[in-house]
């Protein structure tokens, strides 16, 4: 009896020592808080089970609150695991086996062969009509809502300042509840705010909008919302004195009808990134950001379907003295974009990716307006826009005095020569396709100055071995006095790819030992390797 008692006593002593060594360590509070700051919020909360001393430690040490309801469902997309059809009204989920079963397969019993347990808990899950996604409304959803409420309450009474708040919304729930969460955070002078709700609209209430535009502590603001989520501006001018990054997706800005414009005063902003954003018709959005370096504007078809008025009645104007990079991706019928009030400014790169959908006559004016603003850009990339020489002549395309890198999608040889003639110091040219042309035009065209004096690298991509491609390549080899590299990427779908390679080698061989370094093997090896 005494031996057994002794063993119990020693076991208790060892457990006490282990707890003292691992839990009640002598590590300073600042170091413990530092370690916890690198953990996901859920893992930080789990430390409450370590000991009584750690029961509420997370509430006083957390500086970053990241909340995500993705775990409510293993997959929000209601795709049947058996017939692979999308469920429309409801489905059955088997969480243990990560199975989604449509009503038809459920009646047929197709799923039962995969269920090893005699009794498996199944859940009937409703499908949202608009988004087509599952709606979790049971125990897991209530646990998540309770957790968010508790986390916001307990961290609000902490002495630690909350630096970052992130909320990723995948499930459909009461909008007013989510507005309450966001308002609570904004009222606590958070520095980094990230709200994502890609499946459902999340309009901000008047109170949430008020807290947002009066949160002077924000350094990064990221609102990635479903298209046409409304946010009302309380005044005609908004000031964020510390904001460095602004990312806005899917937002409709409601501007006061008494004003013709809305001004964003962002003195420290470095990056401006918007996608599918819209605002009241006939209004201008003015961005005053003297330190702005990166501008990215994107629209997809969902945005155009949701737009309720003529986008050409809107414009966005930037006053940015240090712009380095500009990117536009869309259909070319969006709000007019004005990059500079100061025409002498230069920046590093500009990229236009035009998605095919609308007629060229609707897109050309918008895109030419952009092109005119690139006269002091060092690198230009244009894809998806089928420019023609008549449009360029009418547009009075400027001289690109600083342009050293030009990358073009499918173009005509007339457009290519015109752009080369307007690029006196061009060094690198990348062509992703060239329309067929008459050789007489190239023979009679005025030789661009850059071809003779500065062009060092020419790369042909998606080459099919057509005669006009070979003739253009020969044109650069014969006239490119500074040419150092000529590269080709043969279109991999060609069944006679080896024949095309030999034809190009035969054409280039007489020039290979001269001033041009013709690169075949590297490009072809990479392309062929990708097909294996």
């Amino acid at each position: 009896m005494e031996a057994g008692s002794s063993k119990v006593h020693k076991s208790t002593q060892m457990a006490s020592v282990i707890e003292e060594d691992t839990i009640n360590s002598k590590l300073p509070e600042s170091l413990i808080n530092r370690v916890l700051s690198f953990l996901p919020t859920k893992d930080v909360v789990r430390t409450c089970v370590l000991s009584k001393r750690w029961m509420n430690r997370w509430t006083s040490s957390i500086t970053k609150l990241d909340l995500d309801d993705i775990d409510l469902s293993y997959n929000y997309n209601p795709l049947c695991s058996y017939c692979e059809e999308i469920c429309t009204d409801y489905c059955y989920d088997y969480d243990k086996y990560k199975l989604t079963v449509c009503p038809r397969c459920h009646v047929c019993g197709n799923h039962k062969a995969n269920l090893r347990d005699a009794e498996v808990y199944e859940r009937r899950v409703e499908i949202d009509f608009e988004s087509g996604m599952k709606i979790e409304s049971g125990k897991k959803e209530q646990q998540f809502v309770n957790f968010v409420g508790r986390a916001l309450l307990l961290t609000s009474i902490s002495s630690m300042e909350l630096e970052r708040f992130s909320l990723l919304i995948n499930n459909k729930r009461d909008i007013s509840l989510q507005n309450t969460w966001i308002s609570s955070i904004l009222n606590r002078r958070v520095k980094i705010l990230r709200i994502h709700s890609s499946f459902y609209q999340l309009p901000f209430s008047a109170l949430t909008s008020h807290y947002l535009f009066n949160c002077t502590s924000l350094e990064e603001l990221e609102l990635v919302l479903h298209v046409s989520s409304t946010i009302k501006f309380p005044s005609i001018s908004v000031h964020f004195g510390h904001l460095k990054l602004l990312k806005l997706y899917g937002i409709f800005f409601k501007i006061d009808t008494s004003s013709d414009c809305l001004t964003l005063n962002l003195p420290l902003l470095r990056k401006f990134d918007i996608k599918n954003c819209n605002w009241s018709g006939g209004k201008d959005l003015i961005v005053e950001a003297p330190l702005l370096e990166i501008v990215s504007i994107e629209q997809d078809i969902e945005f155009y379907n949701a737009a309720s008025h003529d986008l050409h009645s809107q414009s966005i104007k930037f006053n940015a003295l240090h712009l380095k990079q500009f990117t536009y991706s869309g259909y070319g019928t969006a709000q007019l974009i004005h990059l500079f009030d100061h025409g002498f400014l230069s920046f590093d790169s500009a990229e236009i990716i035009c998605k095919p959908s609308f007629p060229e006559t609707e897109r050309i004016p918008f895109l030419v307006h952009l092109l005119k603003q690139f006269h002091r850009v060092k690198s230009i990339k244009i894809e998806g826009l089928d420019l023609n020489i008549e449009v360029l002549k009418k547009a009075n395309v400027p001289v690109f005095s600083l342009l050293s890198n030009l990358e073009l999608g499918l173009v005509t040889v007339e457009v290519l020569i015109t752009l080369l003639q307007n690029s006196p110091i061009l060094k690198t040219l990348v062509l992703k396709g060239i329309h067929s042309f008459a050789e007489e035009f190239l023979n009679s065209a005025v030789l661009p100055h850059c071809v003779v004096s500065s062009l060092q690298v020419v790369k042909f991509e998606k080459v099919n071995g057509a005669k006009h491609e070979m003739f253009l390549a020969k044109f650069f080899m014969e006239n490119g006095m500074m040419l150092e590299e000529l590269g080709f990427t043969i279109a991999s779908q060609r069944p006679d790819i080896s024949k095309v390679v030999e034809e190009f080698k035969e054409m280039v061989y007489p020039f290979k030992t001269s001033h041009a370094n013709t690169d075949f093997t590297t490009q072809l090896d990479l392309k062929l390797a990708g097909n294996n």
Side-chain angles (χ1 to χ4, degrees), residues 268-326:
L268 298 183
L269 191 71
R270 301 284 183 173
K271 183 176 182 180
F272 181 90
D273 181 6
I274 64 171
K275 178 180 179 181
N276 293 342
C277 286
N278 199 2
W279 49 89
S280 304
K283 310 292 183 181
D284 292 334
L285 180 63
I286 301 174
V287 181
E288 296 282 353
L291 301 182
L292 185 62
E293 297 179 349
I294 301 173
V295 172
S296 177
I297 300 175
E298 182 179 355
Q299 289 112 10
D300 58 27
I301 196 64
E302 189 177 17
F303 165 74
Y304 290 100
N305 292 338
S308 58
H309 53 268
D310 183 14
L311 295 172
H312 291 302
S313 66
Q314 307 171 344
S315 70
I316 179 169
K317 301 178 180 179
F318 295 91
N319 188 6
L321 301 174
H322 296 85
L323 191 62
K324 293 182 179 179
Q325 179 181 328
F326 171 82

Side-chain angles (χ1 to χ4, degrees), residues 172-273:
K172 187 174 185 178
R173 62 177 60 86
D174 183 49
I175 293 176
S176 62
L177 174 62
Q178 295 174 139
N179 267 275
T180 301
W181 294 346
I182 300 170
S183 297
S184 172
I185 288 297
L186 287 169
N187 200 29
R188 292 169 55 183
R189 297 184 56 80
V190 67
K191 294 181 180 179
I192 301 175
L193 178 66
R194 295 172 183 165
I195 308 294
H196 287 224
S197 179
S198 300
F199 298 148
Y200 305 102
Q201 289 185 358
L202 181 57
F204 278 25
S205 65
L207 182 61
T208 305
S209 297
H210 171 77
Y211 281 132
L212 173 63
F213 297 118
N214 286 276
C215 188
T216 57
S217 60
L218 281 174
E219 296 179 5
E220 294 184 15
L221 176 59
E222 186 175 306
L223 303 177
V224 179
L225 309 180
H226 189 66
V227 170
S228 295
S229 294
T230 304
I231 297 179
K232 183 177 181 179
F233 280 89
S235 63
I236 62 174
S237 180
V238 175
H239 182 85
F240 288 105
H242 297 91
L243 199 65
K244 298 177 182 177
L245 183 149
L246 182 60
K247 183 176 182 178
L248 303 173
Y249 287 14
I251 300 174
F252 176 76
F253 298 110
K254 195 172 182 181
I255 303 174
D256 194 322
T257 54
S258 63
S259 173
D260 293 330
C261 65
L262 169 70
T263 301
L264 300 180
N265 291 297
L266 311 168
L268 298 183
L269 191 71
R270 301 284 183 173
K271 183 176 182 180
F272 181 90
D273 181 6

Side-chain angles (χ1 to χ4, degrees), residues 104 125 146 177 199 242 318 343 348 424 434 452 480:
R104 184 169 60 86
V125 182
N146 293 342
L177 174 62
F199 298 148
H242 297 91
F318 295 91
D348 292 339
I434 190 82
V452 179

